[in-house]
Coordinates of all heavy atoms in Angstrom, one line a residue:
T74 N 3.1 16.4 -84.0 CA 2.7 15.3 -84.9 C 2.6 15.8 -86.3 O 3.1 15.1 -87.2 CB 1.4 14.7 -84.4 OG1 1.5 14.3 -83.0 CG2 1.0 13.5 -85.2
I77 N 6.0 16.1 -87.9 CA 6.6 14.8 -88.3 C 5.9 14.3 -89.5 O 6.6 13.7 -90.4 CB 6.5 13.8 -87.1 CG1 7.3 14.4 -85.9 CG2 7.0 12.4 -87.5 CD1 7.0 13.7 -84.5
L78 N 4.6 14.5 -89.7 CA 3.9 14.0 -90.9 C 4.5 14.8 -92.1 O 4.7 14.2 -93.2 CB 2.4 14.2 -90.8 CG 1.7 13.5 -89.7 CD1 0.2 13.8 -89.7 CD2 1.9 12.0 -89.8
L81 N 7.8 13.3 -93.2 CA 7.6 12.0 -93.9 C 7.2 12.3 -95.3 O 7.7 11.7 -96.3 CB 6.6 11.1 -93.2 CG 7.1 10.5 -91.9 CD1 6.0 10.0 -91.0 CD2 8.1 9.4 -92.2
V93 N 12.9 8.7 -89.9 CA 12.7 9.7 -88.9 C 12.8 9.1 -87.5 O 12.5 7.9 -87.3 CB 11.4 10.5 -89.0 CG1 11.2 11.1 -90.3 CG2 10.2 9.6 -88.7
I95 N 11.6 9.9 -83.5 CA 10.7 10.7 -82.7 C 10.8 10.4 -81.2 O 11.3 9.3 -80.8 CB 9.2 10.4 -83.1 CG1 8.8 9.0 -82.8 CG2 9.0 10.7 -84.6 CD1 7.3 8.7 -82.9
L97 N 8.5 10.1 -77.7 CA 7.0 10.0 -77.4 C 6.6 11.1 -76.5 O 5.4 11.5 -76.6 CB 6.8 8.6 -76.7 CG 6.9 7.4 -77.7 CD1 6.5 6.1 -77.0 CD2 6.1 7.6 -79.0
I100 N 5.1 13.9 -78.6 CA 3.7 13.7 -79.1 C 2.7 13.4 -78.0 O 1.7 12.8 -78.2 CB 3.7 12.7 -80.3 CG1 4.2 11.3 -79.9 CG2 4.5 13.3 -81.5 CD1 3.9 10.3 -80.9
C109 N -1.1 10.1 -76.9 CA 0.2 9.8 -77.5 C 0.0 8.6 -78.5 O 0.5 8.6 -79.6 CB 1.2 9.4 -76.4 SG 2.8 9.0 -77.1
A110 N -0.8 7.6 -78.1 CA -1.1 6.4 -79.0 C -1.7 6.9 -80.3 O -1.3 6.4 -81.4 CB -1.9 5.4 -78.3
E111 N -2.7 7.8 -80.2 CA -3.4 8.3 -81.4 C -2.4 9.0 -82.3 O -2.3 8.8 -83.6 CB -4.5 9.3 -81.1 CG -5.7 8.6 -80.6 CD -6.7 9.6 -79.9 OE1 -6.7 10.8 -80.3 OE2 -7.4 9.2 -79.0
N112 N -1.5 9.8 -81.7 CA -0.6 10.6 -82.6 C 0.5 9.6 -83.2 O 0.8 9.7 -84.3 CB 0.1 11.6 -81.7 CG -0.8 12.8 -81.4 OD1 -1.7 13.1 -82.1 ND2 -0.5 13.5 -80.3
L113 N 0.9 8.6 -82.4 CA 1.9 7.7 -82.9 C 1.3 6.9 -84.0 O 1.9 6.7 -85.1 CB 2.3 6.7 -81.7 CG 3.3 5.7 -82.1 CD1 4.6 6.2 -82.6 CD2 3.6 4.8 -80.9
E114 N 0.0 6.5 -83.9 CA -0.6 5.7 -85.0 C -0.7 6.5 -86.3 O -0.4 6.0 -87.4 CB -1.9 5.1 -84.6 CG -2.4 4.2 -85.6 CD -3.6 3.3 -85.2 OE1 -4.1 3.4 -84.1 OE2 -4.0 2.5 -86.1
R115 N -1.0 7.8 -86.1 CA -1.1 8.6 -87.3 C 0.3 8.7 -88.0 O 0.4 8.6 -89.2 CB -1.5 10.1 -87.0 CG -3.0 10.1 -86.6 CD -3.4 11.5 -86.2 NE -3.2 12.5 -87.3 CZ -2.9 13.8 -87.1 NH1 -2.8 14.3 -85.9 NH2 -2.8 14.6 -88.1
I116 N 1.3 8.8 -87.2 CA 2.7 8.9 -87.7 C 3.1 7.6 -88.4 O 3.6 7.6 -89.6 CB 3.7 9.2 -86.6 CG1 3.5 10.7 -86.1 CG2 5.2 9.1 -87.1 CD1 4.2 11.0 -84.8
L117 N 2.8 6.5 -87.8 CA 3.2 5.2 -88.4 C 2.4 4.9 -89.7 O 2.9 4.3 -90.6 CB 3.0 4.0 -87.4 CG 3.9 4.1 -86.1 CD1 3.7 2.9 -85.3 CD2 5.4 4.3 -86.6
A118 N 1.1 5.3 -89.6 CA 0.3 5.1 -90.8 C 0.9 5.9 -92.0 O 1.0 5.4 -93.1 CB -1.2 5.5 -90.6
R119 N 1.2 7.2 -91.7 CA 1.8 8.0 -92.8 C 3.2 7.4 -93.3 O 3.5 7.4 -94.5 CB 2.0 9.4 -92.3 CG 2.5 10.4 -93.4 CD 1.5 10.6 -94.5 NE 0.3 11.3 -93.9 CZ 0.1 12.6 -93.8 NH1 1.0 13.4 -94.2 NH2 -1.1 13.0 -93.3
A120 N 4.0 6.9 -92.3 CA 5.3 6.3 -92.7 C 5.1 5.1 -93.6 O 5.8 4.9 -94.5 CB 6.0 6.0 -91.4
R121 N 4.0 4.3 -93.2 CA 3.8 3.1 -94.1 C 3.4 3.5 -95.5 O 3.9 2.9 -96.5 CB 2.7 2.3 -93.4 CG 2.4 1.0 -94.1 CD 1.8 0.0 -93.2 NE 0.4 0.4 -92.8 CZ -0.4 -0.2 -91.9 NH1 0.1 -1.3 -91.3 NH2 -1.6 0.2 -91.7
E122 N 2.5 4.5 -95.5 CA 2.1 5.0 -96.9 C 3.3 5.5 -97.7 O 3.4 5.3 -98.9 CB 1.2 6.3 -96.6 CG -0.1 6.4 -97.4 CD -0.8 7.7 -96.8 OE1 -1.5 7.5 -95.8 OE2 -0.5 8.7 -97.4
R123 N 4.2 6.1 -97.0 CA 5.4 6.7 -97.7 C 6.6 5.7 -97.7 O 7.7 6.1 -98.0 CB 5.9 8.0 -96.9 CG 4.9 9.1 -96.9 CD 4.7 9.6 -98.3 NE 3.9 10.8 -98.3 CZ 3.5 11.4 -99.4 NH1 3.9 10.9 -100.6 NH2 2.7 12.4 -99.4
K124 N 6.3 4.5 -97.3 CA 7.3 3.4 -97.3 C 8.6 3.8 -96.5 O 9.7 3.7 -96.9 CB 7.8 3.0 -98.7 CG 6.6 2.5 -99.5 CD 7.1 1.8 -100.8 CE 6.0 1.1 -101.6 NZ 4.7 1.7 -101.6
N125 N 8.3 4.4 -95.3 CA 9.4 4.8 -94.5 C 9.3 4.2 -93.1 O 8.4 3.4 -92.8 CB 9.4 6.3 -94.4 CG 10.9 6.8 -94.3 OD1 11.7 6.2 -93.7 ND2 11.1 8.0 -94.9
F126 N 10.3 4.5 -92.3 CA 10.5 3.8 -91.0 C 10.6 4.8 -89.9 O 11.2 5.9 -90.1 CB 11.8 3.0 -91.1 CG 12.2 2.3 -89.9 CD1 11.7 1.0 -89.6 CD2 13.1 2.8 -89.0 CE1 12.1 0.3 -88.5 CE2 13.5 2.2 -87.8 CZ 13.0 0.9 -87.6
V127 N 10.1 4.5 -88.7 CA 10.1 5.4 -87.6 C 10.8 4.8 -86.4 O 10.5 3.7 -86.0 CB 8.7 5.8 -87.1 CG1 8.7 6.7 -85.9 CG2 7.9 6.5 -88.3
R128 N 11.9 5.5 -85.9 CA 12.6 5.0 -84.7 C 12.1 5.8 -83.5 O 12.1 7.0 -83.6 CB 14.1 5.2 -84.9 CG 14.9 4.8 -83.8 CD 15.2 3.3 -83.7 NE 16.0 2.9 -84.8 CZ 16.4 1.6 -85.0 NH1 16.0 0.7 -84.2 NH2 17.1 1.3 -86.1
I129 N 11.6 5.0 -82.5 CA 11.2 5.7 -81.3 C 12.4 5.8 -80.4 O 12.9 4.8 -79.9 CB 10.1 4.9 -80.6 CG1 8.9 4.7 -81.5 CG2 9.7 5.6 -79.3 CD1 7.8 3.8 -80.9
T140 N 6.9 3.2 -73.2 CA 7.4 3.2 -74.6 C 7.3 1.8 -75.2 O 6.9 1.6 -76.3 CB 8.9 3.7 -74.6 OG1 8.9 5.1 -74.1 CG2 9.5 3.7 -76.0
L143 N 3.6 1.0 -75.8 CA 3.0 1.6 -77.0 C 3.6 1.0 -78.3 O 2.9 0.8 -79.3 CB 3.3 3.1 -77.0 CG 2.3 3.9 -76.1 CD1 2.8 5.3 -76.0 CD2 0.9 3.8 -76.6
Y144 N 4.9 0.6 -78.3 CA 5.5 -0.1 -79.4 C 4.7 -1.4 -79.7 O 4.3 -1.7 -80.8 CB 7.0 -0.3 -79.1 CG 7.6 -1.3 -80.1 CD1 8.1 -0.9 -81.3 CD2 7.7 -2.7 -79.7 CE1 8.7 -1.8 -82.2 CE2 8.2 -3.6 -80.6 CZ 8.7 -3.2 -81.8 OH 9.3 -4.1 -82.7
R145 N 4.5 -2.1 -78.6 CA 3.8 -3.4 -78.8 C 2.4 -3.3 -79.3 O 1.9 -4.0 -80.1 CB 3.8 -4.2 -77.4 CG 5.2 -4.8 -77.1 CD 5.1 -5.7 -75.9 NE 6.3 -6.6 -75.8 CZ 7.2 -6.5 -74.8 NH1 7.1 -5.6 -73.8 NH2 8.2 -7.3 -74.8
R146 N 1.8 -2.2 -78.8 CA 0.4 -2.0 -79.2 C 0.4 -1.7 -80.7 O -0.5 -2.2 -81.4 CB -0.1 -0.7 -78.5 CG -1.6 -0.8 -78.1 CD -1.8 0.2 -77.1 NE -2.9 1.1 -77.5 CZ -3.3 2.1 -76.9 NH1 -2.8 2.5 -75.7 NH2 -4.3 2.9 -77.3
M147 N 1.3 -0.9 -81.2 CA 1.4 -0.6 -82.6 C 1.7 -1.8 -83.5 O 1.2 -2.1 -84.5 CB 2.4 0.5 -82.9 CG 2.0 1.8 -82.3 SD 0.4 2.5 -82.8 CE -0.3 3.0 -81.3
R148 N 2.6 -2.7 -83.0 CA 3.0 -3.9 -83.7 C 1.8 -4.8 -83.7 O 1.5 -5.4 -84.8 CB 4.1 -4.6 -83.0 CG 5.5 -3.9 -83.1 CD 6.1 -4.1 -84.4 NE 6.3 -5.6 -84.7 CZ 7.3 -6.1 -85.3 NH1 8.3 -5.3 -85.7 NH2 7.4 -7.4 -85.6
D149 N 1.0 -4.9 -82.6 CA -0.2 -5.7 -82.6 C -1.2 -5.2 -83.7 O -2.0 -6.0 -84.2 CB -0.9 -5.7 -81.3 CG -0.1 -6.5 -80.3 OD1 0.8 -7.3 -80.7 OD2 -0.3 -6.4 -79.0
K150 N -1.2 -3.9 -84.0 CA -2.1 -3.4 -85.0 C -1.5 -3.5 -86.4 O -2.1 -3.0 -87.3 CB -2.3 -1.9 -84.7 CG -3.2 -1.6 -83.5 CD -3.4 -0.1 -83.4 CE -4.5 0.2 -82.4 NZ -5.4 1.3 -82.8
G151 N -0.4 -4.2 -86.5 CA 0.2 -4.5 -87.8 C 1.2 -3.5 -88.3 O 1.6 -3.6 -89.5
Y152 N 1.6 -2.5 -87.5 CA 2.7 -1.6 -88.0 C 4.1 -2.3 -87.8 O 4.5 -2.5 -86.7 CB 2.6 -0.3 -87.2 CG 1.4 0.5 -87.6 CD1 0.3 0.5 -86.7 CD2 1.3 1.1 -88.8 CE1 -0.9 1.1 -87.0 CE2 0.1 1.8 -89.1 CZ -1.0 1.8 -88.2 OH -2.1 2.5 -88.5
E153 N 4.7 -2.5 -88.9 CA 6.0 -3.2 -88.8 C 7.2 -2.2 -89.0 O 8.3 -2.5 -88.7 CB 6.1 -4.2 -90.0 CG 5.0 -5.2 -89.9 CD 5.6 -6.6 -89.9 OE1 6.4 -6.9 -90.8 OE2 5.1 -7.5 -89.1
N154 N 6.8 -1.0 -89.5 CA 7.8 0.0 -89.8 C 8.2 0.9 -88.6 O 8.3 2.1 -88.7 CB 7.3 0.9 -91.0 CG 5.9 1.5 -90.6 OD1 5.2 1.0 -89.8 ND2 5.6 2.7 -91.1
V155 N 8.5 0.2 -87.5 CA 8.8 1.0 -86.3 C 9.9 0.2 -85.5 O 9.9 -1.0 -85.5 CB 7.5 1.2 -85.5 CG1 6.8 -0.1 -85.1 CG2 7.8 2.0 -84.2
G156 N 10.8 1.0 -85.0 CA 11.9 0.4 -84.2 C 12.1 1.0 -82.9 O 11.6 2.1 -82.6

Side-chain angles (χ1 to χ4, degrees):
T74 305
I77 295 163
L78 297 179
L81 286 164
V93 303
I95 65 170
L97 293 185
I100 57 167
C109 180
E111 281 166 29
N112 288 336
L113 179 59
E114 188 166 0
R115 287 178 61 208
I116 291 168
L117 295 185
R119 184 69 61 89
R121 185 159 67 187
E122 226 174 274
R123 298 290 185 186
K124 298 192 172 40
N125 214 325
F126 178 87
V127 176
R128 178 80 66 181
I129 303 175
T140 301
L143 281 172
Y144 166 85
R145 285 187 161 115
R146 218 164 123 181
M147 296 300 138
R148 289 284 301 218
D149 288 347
K150 286 184 167 216
Y152 293 100
E153 302 233 314
N154 54 333
V155 55

